Amino acid sequence: VGIKLYELCGAEPDRLFSPNCWRSRLALAHKGLDVETVPVRFGEKDKIAFSGQTLVPVLDDGGKVVPDSWAIAGYLEDTYGDRPSLFGGAGGRGLTRFVNEWVGRGLFPALIRILAVDIYNHLTPADQTYFRQTREKYFGTTLEALTAEPEKKIAALNQVLEPLRGLVKAQPFVAGDRPAYADYTAFCGFQWARCISAKRLLAADDPVHAWRGRMLALYGGLAGNAKGYPC
Ligand SMILES: N[C@@H](CCC(=O)N[C@@H](CS)C(=O)NCC(=O)O)C(=O)O
């Protein structure tokens, strides 16, 4: 039967830009599991109605249906416990959740203020209408105002990155000598940017730049070969 991952796409079905979906893609690769990607546009909620909710990623593992990236990571760790660990034990799971929260509440808010119009430009006309309406309501401003003064937004992003910068200056991966879910959950923000935007976010001599390069190369260039822009 195999594993399917329902992932958000743009107007082009192979523009798989959702950060939450990239977390799960890399977690599956870490576990050495084959996966079939099912692209889903914003307007194609019918494709994931079977999951009982409206957001991607949704994992379907031979009929076991799991929505939500953090739940998917936990499911994979618990179900495929004989394969390489995503968390490195119970303490690691708790600390990884901290990274996950920092990404959701720090990194993503900084990135959406850079990427919102670039995302909009990669959607079908119907999805553009949906994206503009939902995001402008959420942020209380237009997409254009949200992303105004990009240099300032990129500077703010680089401030948010300080803890990650200190860490990957001292060790190759967030999880230590080898990558694990803490790396995937942080990297997915950069993959989001890379898939959807030509903007340069990091200086070439930034330790975060070097770490991102290591992440792009993992699993035969899984992330680096995906449709996107040079970064
Ligand atoms: N907490 C969820 C968040 C999922 C989420 O927000 N997914 C976005 C894509 S990154 C989505 O499905 N958006 C569809 C929409 O806004 O209609 C997770 O981590 O999986």
Side-chain angles (χ1 to χ4, degrees):
V1 191
I3 301 179
K4 287 185 187 167
L5 188 69
Y6 292 77
E7 297 186 60
L8 189 65
C9 69
E12 306 144 286
D14 58 345
R15 179 127 2 228
L16 300 161
F17 64 93
S18 150
N20 291 309
C21 298
W22 273 103
R23 290 166 158 163
S24 300
R25 274 296 285 292
L26 287 158
L28 285 157
H30 182 101
K31 287 286 184 188
L33 295 166
D34 287 333
V35 58
E36 179 195 333
T37 290
V38 183
V40 183
R41 295 202 176 101
F42 281 108
E44 295 180 320
K45 302 292 184 202
D46 52 311
K47 282 192 184 173
I48 53 169
F50 69 92
S51 71
Q53 53 85 64
T54 60
L55 300 178
V56 289
V58 175
L59 183 84
D60 182 346
D61 184 1
K64 170 72 186 168
V65 177
V66 187
D68 183 80
S69 60
W70 182 253
I72 290 169
Y75 167 81
L76 293 174
E77 185 74 344
D78 296 339
T79 307
Y80 299 97
D82 54 337
R83 290 171 179 244
S85 175
L86 289 167
F87 302 128
R93 193 182 292 220
L95 283 169
T96 302
R97 186 153 199 175
F98 172 79
V99 180
N100 208 60
E101 293 292 333
W102 170 75
V103 169
R105 296 163 193 263
L107 184 57
F108 286 178
L111 281 167
I112 192 67
R113 286 167 171 77
I114 300 168
L115 303 177
V117 170
D118 295 320
I119 296 170
Y120 178 87
N121 287 335
H122 285 87
L123 304 179
T124 62
D127 279 5
Q128 285 182 329
T129 302
Y130 169 84
F131 183 77
R132 183 178 284 286
Q133 278 174 356
T134 53
R135 273 51 181 182
E136 292 189 347
K137 182 165 184 240
Y138 179 83
F139 289 105
T141 187
T142 63
L143 300 181
E144 290 73 18
L146 186 70
T147 54
E149 301 191 272
E151 330 68 46
K152 284 191 186 163
K153 304 292 162 55
I154 290 171
L157 167 72
N158 275 276
Q159 194 61 43
V160 168
L161 290 173
E162 273 294 303
L164 177 64
R165 183 169 291 125
L167 183 60
V168 297
K169 194 176 175 186
Q171 61 191 50
F173 294 102
V174 178
D177 291 336
R178 289 159 182 268
Y181 197 76
D183 292 274
Y184 311 140
T185 195
F187 168 74
C188 78
F190 294 97
Q191 182 70 350
W192 183 23
R194 180 191 161 281
C195 288
I196 216 78
S197 175
K199 293 192 180 80
R200 297 296 167 119
L201 306 182
L202 302 172
D205 62 351
D206 187 337
V208 179
H209 187 286
W211 165 79
R212 181 181 61 182
R214 293 191 283 278
M215 297 302 297
L216 288 165
L218 291 176
Y219 311 118
L222 176 63
N225 293 330
K227 181 176 264 189
Y229 293 88
C231 63

